[in-house]
Amino acid sequence: MGPVTGIEHNDDGKLDKSSSALPPRKQIANPVVYKLVRVEGDGRLVPATDDEVMEVEGFLECDNSEMRVVADNGQSLECISIERSSSGKLRLECSEGTAEADLGKLNSKLQYIEQILQKVKHEEKLRLSCGASQFSADKLPVMDGKIQADPPDQEIQSVATSLNCTHSNQSGSFDQCSRPSEGAVESGSSAPAVYSKLKRDFSMFGGEICLDKLSIRELHELFKVTFGRETTVKDKQWLKRRIAMSLTNSCDVSATTFIVKDNKIVRKHEDSSENENAEASISLENMPAEEDVNFKDSSAAEDSGFEDNLVVPETRLGNHNMEHKSGSEDHQTEQRAAKRIRKPTKRYIEELSENESREHQPRLLGSNKNIGIGYTKPARNASSEMRTSITRLDTLGGSCIQIPCVSRVRRSCPRRNMTSLMTFLQTGMVEAEKLANRVLGEHGLHGSNSDNKSPDKILKLTSTPGKFHQPSAPEPGKELSPVKCTIELQQELKPKKTDPSSGTSDDDITTVPTAKGGMRRKHHRAWTLVEVMKLVEGVSQCGAGRWSEIKRLSFSSYSYRTSVDLKDKWRNLLKASYAPADDGMNSRKHGTIPIPESILARVRELAEMNLQVPPNLSSSKLTAGNVVVDRSGLL
DNA sequence: CTTAGGG
DNA sequence: CCCTAAG
């Protein structure tokens, strides 16, 4: 959803929290050291600035006491099953490996949760503005307009689900926790089960309503109780919102599971006020109810598809819960929810999209739209990407966004990095896709999503969250792979089949977007043996120097090889054939592919031929045919 | 536009 | 590979 209405600040999204140094006590208690870092688009972690730290500080402080618990538990418990990678924005760095992973998960979850919350909030606001407020009045008091609930939305459900999911992880303890008064909480929901659950969760808000009546001083107290720290903020709205958030979070936390935590929370609430207590209990209740089921659902949802933002939110929720569990208290969660939330993500996304859009979009639009779609399928491993893509969707609005993501991915991976296996798969897949596309039509519209899908899938499977290199379908993926034979065969076949139309598709792959004046061409494509052979053959047939002709005859399929390229390559071949004479070995330079002696020999012959023949050839094109014959005979 | 050659 | 000059 769009902009974050309720959220005040925003971290840019990239920021992450974690922290180590800031709160002294935390360090003491917690064996794990957290560091606040910003995750750059490329995945690098950059130390957070003071400002950023400040933003997050609150969380840290609050967490101090519990963080440790979380960490411990988290490690042993396995905080999150959901694996959304932190690729995007936030990431926790931990000194401890295990903790690290968990934390990362938690963070990602938090992010999702935040997003959801924002979304909900946003919706609520809208609703309120529309006059829907009545709705919330009784059942769900509107906290700040934040979340209330209109359960009808799937989003809410998803949220609930996610919450439950979290619980499920730690299910054992949960059950014990309690679900005392589900009925009471539910108050009047005629909605479906899920819905009702939500309501329950939100019932907490009921307490919130009271917030409105509270004086600032009272709010401060409440704040203190809730977050364990005092606040000097005089903004009533802010306080209310904050508290509301914390409450919401607390619910999650309870869900998360730790009894201990629950206890803590409960205590707090008790101290603070009746309302809070009620909420806490409620939240607990809610969570436990659907634990397992929810969890599964959420995961399923992810897998099923990201089309809806909702899905993402779910995931996030899960993460969020995890975090709570990990150690963050209400207030932590709250802060995140309030601050981090989506905005950052959006920005982040936008930035990314911009960068990529320059180069990728043009290409994508023209040739591969499908790819984007394919991504939609969520893969856990690819979570980071997924996220990105999703985000993009939000930003751009619409399916279009997805495409960019894909392109982006492609971009990131120059192509070759993928393992040979990948290449192999890709080649096959890509070609198949291309063929299909071509058959369908070159328009670039490819009607077949399926084509895209498969590649995407592969990519997802293969690729790891981190950086993602994907050779990507769009690319011809011909020669890159180390495995020459297979690839070569494919390549050869492919060109012939696709030749006619291939030009277009190839272009996509190869062309260089060159936005400004910068990038000129593609990312150097290594010459494959097949290509070299073709070149030699072409030269033998057409004669050296008639590159355009050779290009047409032998390289029509390879759009990325221009006549100039052929010429250059030939030049290199000549050099190679002559100079090193042969190492004795077929292989040539390290990086370059080994050129079989036979080919070199042939190149030499042709070279000699050219020396002799040139006059003849040059004499006339018409004679070319004759010339060719002669040559062949000579050879 | 195609070649040829230098970077 | 890229760029440019020359035809």
Side-chain angles (χ1 to χ4, degrees):
Chain A
M1 311 241 37
V4 178
T5 52
I7 294 167
E8 307 168 358
H9 60 288
N10 17 317
D11 325 316
D12 293 3
K14 305 171 178 175
L15 233 139
D16 224 319
K17 71 149 149 274
S18 50
S19 70
S20 51
L22 296 179
R25 19 178 185 169
K26 182 172 147 201
Q27 286 181 349
I28 296 170
N30 206 339
V32 179
V33 176
Y34 300 89
K35 199 170 173 185
L36 182 61
V37 300
R38 174 190 297 260
V39 178
E40 293 291 330
D42 57 5
R44 285 180 304 149
L45 299 180
V46 177
T49 62
D50 291 345
D51 291 345
E52 291 172 337
V53 172
M54 290 290 285
E55 281 186 348
V56 189
E57 205 167 7
F59 293 89
L60 295 175
E61 288 181 2
C62 292
D63 294 351
N64 298 349
S65 60
E66 289 186 0
M67 275 303 282
R68 187 171 29 122
V69 173
V70 173
D72 294 349
N73 290 337
Q75 291 179 358
S76 60
L77 293 180
E78 269 185 341
C79 301
I80 303 166
S81 60
I82 295 170
E83 288 185 357
R84 291 241 165 212
S85 69
S86 55
S87 64
K89 322 163 177 178
L90 303 182
R91 208 181 236 167
L92 288 177
E93 281 183 346
C94 300
S95 57
E96 294 183 3
T98 318
E100 189 174 344
D102 290 346
L103 288 175
K105 289 179 179 181
L106 289 175
N107 277 339
S108 55
K109 281 192 174 183
L110 273 175
Q111 290 180 358
Y112 279 110
I113 291 173
E114 286 179 0
Q115 282 190 355
I116 293 172
L117 287 175
Q118 285 188 353
K119 219 173 171 182
V120 173
K121 218 168 162 185
H122 184 69
E123 286 188 2
E124 245 203 323
K125 282 189 175 180
L126 291 175
R127 191 173 295 156
L128 291 174
S129 63
C130 295
S133 58
Q134 333 167 335
F135 180 96
S136 58
D138 289 348
K139 306 175 178 179
L140 306 179
V142 176
M143 310 202 26
D144 292 340
K146 242 188 205 158
I147 300 184
Q148 291 181 3
D150 224 52
D153 297 353
Q154 289 180 351
E155 289 182 359
I156 293 171
Q157 290 183 359
S158 66
V159 172
T161 305
S162 64
L163 291 174
N164 289 335
C165 293
T166 306
H167 294 299
S168 66
N169 289 342
Q170 299 175 348
S171 60
S173 358
F174 268 120
D175 293 348
Q176 292 180 357
C177 290
S178 70
R179 20 168 134 166
S181 57
E182 290 180 358
V185 174
E186 286 184 356
S187 68
S189 57
S190 56
V194 175
Y195 185 116
S196 63
K197 280 191 177 182
L198 286 176
K199 278 189 175 180
R200 291 186 240 157
D201 288 349
F202 289 103
S203 64
M204 290 177 55
F205 299 139
E208 295 276 346
I209 292 177
C210 297
L211 292 177
D212 292 340
K213 299 172 184 176
L214 298 175
S215 65
I216 292 177
R217 191 178 73 78
E218 288 172 323
L219 286 172
H220 277 190
E221 273 195 39
L222 193 53
F223 183 92
K224 187 177 177 182
V225 174
T226 304
F227 298 102
R229 64 173 181 176
E230 303 207 5
T231 179
T232 57
V233 177
K234 294 175 184 178
D235 186 338
K236 206 168 175 181
Q237 290 280 339
W238 184 85
L239 288 169
K240 292 197 311 186
R241 193 178 35 145
R242 194 97 191 213
I243 293 168
M245 285 294 289
S246 71
L247 290 176
T248 304
N249 290 339
S250 67
C251 290
D252 291 353
V253 172
S254 63
T256 347
T257 335
F258 276 108
I259 294 172
V260 174
K261 263 195 175 180
D262 289 350
N263 291 341
K264 281 186 179 181
I265 292 169
V266 172
R267 291 178 194 171
K268 286 182 180 181
H269 288 292
E270 288 179 355
D271 292 350
S272 62
S273 69
E274 294 178 0
N275 293 343
E276 287 183 358
N277 287 339
E279 289 179 359
S281 61
I282 292 166
S283 64
L284 290 174
E285 291 176 357
N286 293 339
M287 300 307 283
E290 292 182 354
E291 302 175 353
D292 295 351
V293 174
N294 289 340
F295 184 83
K296 288 178 180 178
D297 289 352
S298 67
S299 61
E302 284 187 13
D303 291 55
S304 66
F306 285 158
E307 292 178 358
D308 290 357
N309 292 339
L310 292 176
V311 173
V312 174
E314 286 185 6
T315 307
R316 290 222 168 179
L317 284 174
N319 290 342
H320 191 56
N321 290 340
M322 289 303 290
E323 244 190 273
H324 285 296
K325 190 183 169 179
S326 60
S328 60
E329 292 190 359
D330 300 356
H331 116 329
Q332 226 184 5
T333 303
E334 179 202 310
Q335 278 191 354
R336 287 186 182 178
K339 291 183 177 180
R340 275 196 184 173
I341 303 191
R342 288 195 149 179
K343 211 174 182 181
T345 304
K346 213 175 179 183
R347 258 197 225 162
Y348 184 69
I349 293 165
E350 286 181 359
E351 287 181 6
L352 292 175
S353 65
E354 280 186 13
N355 292 339
E356 291 186 355
S357 65
R358 308 175 194 164
E359 294 180 356
H360 295 283
Q361 282 202 353
R363 209 202 277 170
L364 290 176
L365 292 177
S367 58
N368 305 330
K369 292 178 181 180
N370 297 340
I371 294 169
I373 294 168
Y375 273 88
T376 357
K377 275 190 163 186
R380 287 204 176 129
N381 292 347
S383 61
S384 62
E385 289 185 0
M386 290 297 293
R387 221 197 247 166
T388 303
S389 63
I390 291 167
T391 32
R392 284 198 174 181
L393 271 166
D394 291 351
T395 302
L396 296 181
S399 57
C400 296
I401 296 166
Q402 287 182 351
I403 293 168
C405 291
V406 172
S407 60
R408 173 178 170 213
V409 171
R410 285 191 76 256
R411 198 172 179 246
S412 59
C413 41
R415 56 169 159 153
R416 274 199 181 184
N417 292 350
M418 292 305 287
T419 58
S420 61
L421 179 64
M422 282 297 292
T423 306
F424 191 84
L425 291 175
Q426 282 185 347
T427 306
M429 295 301 290
V430 171
E431 286 187 2
E433 288 185 358
K434 281 187 176 181
L435 288 173
N437 290 342
R438 289 173 188 175
V439 171
L440 294 176
E442 292 181 0
H443 314 325
L445 291 177
H446 13 286
S448 58
N449 292 343
S450 62
D451 290 352
N452 292 339
K453 264 191 173 182
S454 58
D456 289 345
K457 258 189 168 181
I458 293 170
L459 289 175
K460 287 178 180 180
L461 293 174
T462 327
S463 65
T464 54
K467 289 190 170 180
F468 250 59
H469 292 289
Q470 245 192 352
S472 92
E475 256 192 357
K478 308 174 178 175
E479 313 157 76
L480 299 180
S481 69
V483 183
K484 296 175 183 177
C485 299
T486 309
I487 293 169
E488 287 180 359
L489 291 175
Q490 290 180 351
Q491 289 179 353
E492 285 187 0
L493 291 176
K494 173 180 164 190
K496 290 177 180 179
K497 291 179 180 178
T498 52
D499 281 7
S501 60
S502 68
T504 306
S505 63
D506 286 355
D507 288 350
D508 294 350
I509 299 165
T510 325
T511 55
V512 181
T514 333
K516 300 176 178 176
M519 305 211 19
R520 332 175 155 137
R521 229 178 162 179
K522 32 183 174 186
H523 323 298
H524 318 282
R525 265 184 120 73
W527 275 73
T528 61
L529 207 88
V530 175
E531 287 178 310
V532 171
M533 290 173 66
K534 281 178 166 261
L535 209 197
V536 172
E537 186 180 354
V539 170
S540 66
Q541 291 179 355
C542 304
R546 308 184 66 172
W547 310 115
S548 60
E549 188 76 5
I550 295 169
K551 210 244 176 212
R552 273 195 300 266
L553 296 175
S554 304
F555 292 82
S556 57
S557 62
Y558 306 85
S559 62
Y560 51 90
R561 299 289 182 208
T562 65
S563 58
V564 173
D565 291 327
L566 297 180
K567 178 212 64 178
D568 290 340
K569 182 59 181 172
W570 182 251
R571 192 208 287 166
N572 290 334
L573 286 173
L574 287 176
K575 211 195 301 182
S577 63
Y578 279 115
D582 288 0
D583 296 344
M585 297 299 288
N586 295 340
S587 66
R588 264 210 186 216
K589 290 179 181 179
H590 312 294
T592 61
I593 59 172
I595 297 172
E597 179 52 27
S598 61
I599 292 177
L600 290 176
R602 194 154 178 208
V603 169
R604 244 174 279 140
E605 290 182 36
L606 291 172
E608 291 178 12
M609 296 272 305
N610 288 334
L611 291 177
Q612 298 174 355
V613 178
N616 297 339
L617 289 174
S618 64
S619 61
S620 68
K621 290 182 181 179
L622 296 177
T623 58
N626 295 337
V627 174
V628 171
V629 174
D630 292 349
R631 286 183 183 176
S632 63
L634 292 173
L635 292 175

